[in-house]
Amino acid sequence: MDFTSVVYSDSFSKVEDCPPAGKPEFAFIGRSNVGKSSLINALCERKALAFTSSQPGKTQSINFYTINDAWLLVDLPGYGYAKVSKTMRSSWKVMVEGYLENRESLFCVFQLIDHAIPPQQADIDFSNWLGEREIPFVLVFTKADKRSKDKKTNTVKAYLEKLAGYWEVMPPYFVASAVKGTGLPEIRSYIRQVLPQ
Ligand SMILES: Nc1nc2c(ncn2[C@@H]2O[C@H](COP(=O)(O)OP(=O)(O)OP(=O)(O)O)[C@@H](O)[C@H]2O)c(=O)[nH]1
Ligand SMILES: [Mg+2]
């Protein structure tokens, strides 16, 4: 898919301040540092559209990027960052869960999972949270270029096995690397297929 025009639209720290729902939105969520902003940049073939950092907790608000004037990518702050105060955690909940539960134009969530580490309970809990609310989502296993810390564990298989303990139908999934470009054509093609014509 051509990302002919990519326009940073705006950032909001409160759901109620977001512009009225309109074009379909694809939102990126996952643990802090999993590579959400990097994947958005890689998909758009832009280096610094969404700000990234080696330190977790970089993205702090809801960021909208309009693609081809037809649909949006939405970068969200991550969950599971330990060095966060209770107040910040609860404002994250209000902002991110509020967006995901209430946004009428939310079309699909990309939940990113770090491919290089074994399945994390925080991710399973978040997949379950999405599933329980019937929010359509797909999984993206990120950092496919990195060697797994535990060479014996196939994270994709292990993660899907864990999810199968809760659900009969598995979400679609992709394995991607923002660095090497792995999986990007597949993700773009998925977006093209599911976008309303
Ligand atoms: N090796 C490798 N590193 C990656 C990849 N994607 C992201 N990173 C690195 O992971 C770190 C975090 O990337 P971000 O894109 O900022 O992560 P994020 O999920 O947006 O993080 P928060 O905004 O803090 O929630 C950065 O140092 C990136 O360079 C990848 O595919 N491969
Ligand atoms: Mg980010």
Side-chain angles (χ1 to χ4, degrees):
M1 171 191 282
D2 258 3
F3 286 51
T4 317
S5 123
V6 178
V7 180
Y8 163 70
S9 301
D10 221 334
S11 291
F12 302 91
S13 49
K14 287 190 185 148
V15 185
E16 52 274 27
D17 293 343
C18 291
K23 293 162 183 154
E25 292 171 11
F26 294 78
F28 285 55
I29 188 66
R31 278 183 309 110
S32 286
N33 211 240
V34 71
K36 300 173 291 295
S37 304
S38 302
L39 187 60
I40 288 180
N41 289 337
L43 284 168
C44 297
E45 294 179 312
R46 306 293 197 278
K47 280 208 166 67
L49 179 71
F51 294 117
T52 66
S53 166
S54 56
Q55 300 298 317
K58 178 70 178 170
T59 310
Q60 296 277 352
S61 51
I62 305 170
N63 299 275
F64 293 93
Y65 302 92
T66 305
I67 316 297
N68 299 347
D69 204 26
W71 53 279
L72 291 94
L73 291 175
V74 182
D75 194 11
L76 297 169
Y79 52 81
Y81 175 37
K83 288 186 202 156
V84 158
S85 67
K86 262 195 176 161
T87 321
M88 273 186 76
R89 214 179 298 265
S90 80
S91 65
W92 178 91
K93 243 177 133 55
V94 171
M95 177 181 10
V96 177
E97 295 188 355
Y99 167 82
L100 294 171
E101 281 188 291
N102 302 310
R103 185 75 175 163
E104 282 164 30
S105 41
L106 176 62
F107 190 72
C108 178
V109 174
F110 284 83
Q111 186 192 1
L112 275 55
I113 316 276
D114 191 332
H115 168 271
I117 56 172
Q120 303 288 302
Q121 193 57 43
D123 291 327
I124 300 284
D125 290 346
F126 206 83
S127 292
N128 287 341
W129 186 92
L130 291 166
E132 281 154 14
R133 281 153 189 81
E134 298 183 14
I135 299 173
F137 72 103
V138 305
L139 300 173
V140 180
F141 293 90
T142 61
K143 308 192 183 182
D145 56 287
K146 276 177 85 173
R147 289 189 79 196
S148 175
K149 283 192 183 129
D150 168 7
K151 285 173 214 133
K152 277 186 251 135
T153 310
N154 174 335
T155 302
V156 178
K157 191 164 166 274
Y159 194 86
L160 295 175
E161 276 172 10
K162 284 214 179 258
L163 270 196
Y166 300 92
W167 305 96
E168 276 174 24
V169 182
M170 285 298 107
Y173 72 88
F174 300 94
V175 178
S177 163
V179 173
K180 292 265 161 82
T182 320
L184 303 181
E186 289 80 2
I187 296 172
R188 293 190 191 108
S189 145
Y190 177 80
I191 294 174
R192 185 173 45 224
Q193 268 173 40
V194 299
L195 263 178
Q197 293 307 309

